[in-house]
Amino acid sequence: MPYFDAASSAPLHPVARQALLAALDEGWADPSRLYREGRRARLLLDAAREAAAEAVGCRPDELVFTPSGTRAVHDGIAGALAGRRRAGRHLIVSAVEHSSVLHAASAHEADGGTVTEVPVDRTGRIAPGAYAAALREAPGAVALACLQSANHEVGTVQPVAEAAEECAAADVPLLVDAAQSLGWGPVEGNWSLLTASAHKWGGPAGVGLLAVRKGVRFRTVQPADERESGRSPGFENLPAIVAAAASLRAVRAEAAAEAERLRGLVERIRARVPELVPDVEVVGDPERRLPHLVTFSCLYVDGEALLHELDRAEFSVSSGSSCTSSTLTPSHVLRAMGVLSEGNVRVSLPRGTAEADVDRFLEALPGVVAGVRERLGAPKPAESEAEAAADPDPEPEPELVVDSLGKRCPIPVIELAKVIGEVPVGGVVTVLADDEAARLDIPAWCEMRGQTYEGERPAEGGVAYRVRRRA
């Protein structure tokens, strides 16, 4: 069964498996002890730290291992904010950061700090000079800025080097979440702190990296002990750490060739999906992106149903659609980008993905999407517009109201599509909906179908979205 969700967790690399098994035999002792077994464990830990530091591009004494990438993010942000508390209490993040960063930002606000979210464009990328502007316009002195190296949902690569220069000019440290990109190469630029997670590059779960450059003011918030420079207390999971470092070195050695191969497969998906499936939006930067990841959204499709059907067809993929989430709200990344969220599919290819598996996916996808649309009663491509043109109503209603309260997307969008031909060109359809996804999906539908979105207003029980027929 093809596994296309490496952005969530990559399969264990063979080198990681070998290193893990060897370290279970050799690295079980306490590396802080002076007897033979302890010294042997210490040698393994030091070697792993040196290998990881080389891959990160920092000194070994600047890097510590944490129990997860999320813990590395939380400890990194909390430690940098605590170390620079006298300098200021303002935090800058991008609107598309990983949830671990945004949760840390929320905790900072709850503790009395302030936060600026830097917006992104429709490709998910921050604008040149965006962090310089955020630094200038901050309501108070800035303690820390955060920017991911590449987005986990759409693959867009951020201009970290430029943002780091802007932060350095303002004497503000920049923390980079490199979880998605570190396996493909080092993070360029003058960053101050960096975090990563081993299971994203084929290492074992339960190992994170936190690098803090010398000279960065940092104070550990949690109770410290003598391990990992006091920044990550508790007994090290040495076998997992050894495996994480070994696999990082291995994937880096393969990165250039594998990136070129996977980029070709992703280009095929990006090009073929809109040709094979009507009413699809491929999202993310088409050029400045990770080599193995592509995301697209399908109109008139329930994301949860789509993922289930793809699973039945033996393809494991992920989604940012609200209907695959327990919160019933669309992905914050898709929301920040302002793109279609319904029927969202993220394909992230692990190393070694076969070309034949991608071809099978492209063969299966059109039928799967068509089947989901048919069950939901979605109009066929351009059906309503074509029927309206062929058999126009002599006296169409100038304005219609579609009551979709209590219905989850994509139903409000489907109902809009079915009636748009019942108003004349220049007429208005008002959709009443209480599903948060409608705020993204109705404007996205208008852009894809050549209609005019006129905005929203509060309505009893939900929101009224106005669409004027232009085509």
Side-chain angles (χ1 to χ4, degrees), residues 23 125 142 168 197 210 215 224 227 275 294 301 331 343 348 367 411 420 424 463:
R125 186 175 168 91
V142 180
S197 184
L210 170 59
R227 300 181 189 276
E275 296 172 354
V294 56
V301 171
S331 145
S348 49
I411 300 303
I420 191 68
V463 178

Side-chain angles (χ1 to χ4, degrees), residues 322 327-330 335 341 407-409 433-442 456 463 465:
S322 62
T327 63
L328 301 184
T329 58
R335 186 170 64 243
S341 74
K407 300 175 182 178
R408 292 171 58 185
C409 276
D434 53 4
D435 185 346
E436 181 66 23
R439 183 167 279 113
L440 279 181
D441 294 345
I442 290 176
E456 64 178 69
V463 178
Y465 301 93

Side-chain angles (χ1 to χ4, degrees), residues 97-332:
E97 294 297 310
H98 188 270
S99 58
S100 60
V101 174
L102 300 184
H103 291 158
S106 296
H108 177 60
E109 281 188 304
D111 192 41
T114 54
V115 177
T116 292
E117 279 195 9
V118 178
V120 297
D121 61 19
R122 282 186 66 85
T123 71
R125 186 175 168 91
I126 65 166
Y131 270 57
L135 288 162
R136 287 194 307 270
E137 298 165 7
V142 180
L144 177 67
C146 301
L147 179 63
Q148 60 189 188
S149 55
N151 188 259
H152 50 291
E153 289 196 29
V154 300
T156 298
V157 172
Q158 299 291 359
V160 170
E162 293 89 336
E165 289 304 316
E166 293 166 4
C167 291
D171 196 28
V172 172
L174 177 70
L175 182 147
V176 177
D177 170 17
Q180 288 296 335
S181 74
L182 191 62
W184 298 107
V187 176
E188 303 296 334
N190 188 28
W191 49 266
S192 304
L193 303 95
L194 182 142
T195 64
S197 184
H199 72 103
K200 302 293 187 180
W201 65 68
V207 179
L209 306 182
L210 170 59
V212 182
R213 297 278 199 197
K214 293 295 182 183
V216 175
R217 296 186 65 85
F218 190 95
R219 181 170 63 84
T220 303
V221 176
Q222 60 191 340
D225 63 17
E226 70 281 1
R227 300 181 189 276
E228 294 303 298
S229 304
R231 291 177 179 169
S232 184
F235 198 94
E236 299 94 343
N237 184 350
L238 186 52
I241 288 171
V242 170
S247 58
L248 181 55
R249 175 176 285 177
V251 299
R252 280 291 192 82
E254 306 162 354
E258 192 66 356
E260 182 178 0
R261 193 182 71 84
L262 292 182
R263 189 176 292 276
L265 296 179
V266 165
E267 288 290 358
R268 185 180 305 179
I269 297 172
R270 291 181 65 89
R272 293 290 290 149
V273 165
E275 296 172 354
L276 296 169
V277 182
D279 296 320
V280 164
E281 181 178 17
V282 180
V283 301
D285 196 299
E287 300 295 334
R288 295 168 294 194
R289 56 177 175 78
L290 293 170
H292 69 303
L293 195 156
V294 56
T295 300
F296 56 88
S297 298
C298 308
L299 269 178
Y300 315 135
V301 171
D302 179 299
E304 185 172 7
L306 182 55
L307 262 60
H308 282 315
E309 290 304 311
L310 286 171
D311 182 61
R312 289 179 62 184
E314 299 190 333
F315 294 99
S316 302
V317 298
S318 183
S319 173
S321 292
S322 62
C323 43
T324 63
S325 151
S326 60
T327 63
L328 301 184
T329 58
S331 145
H332 71 277

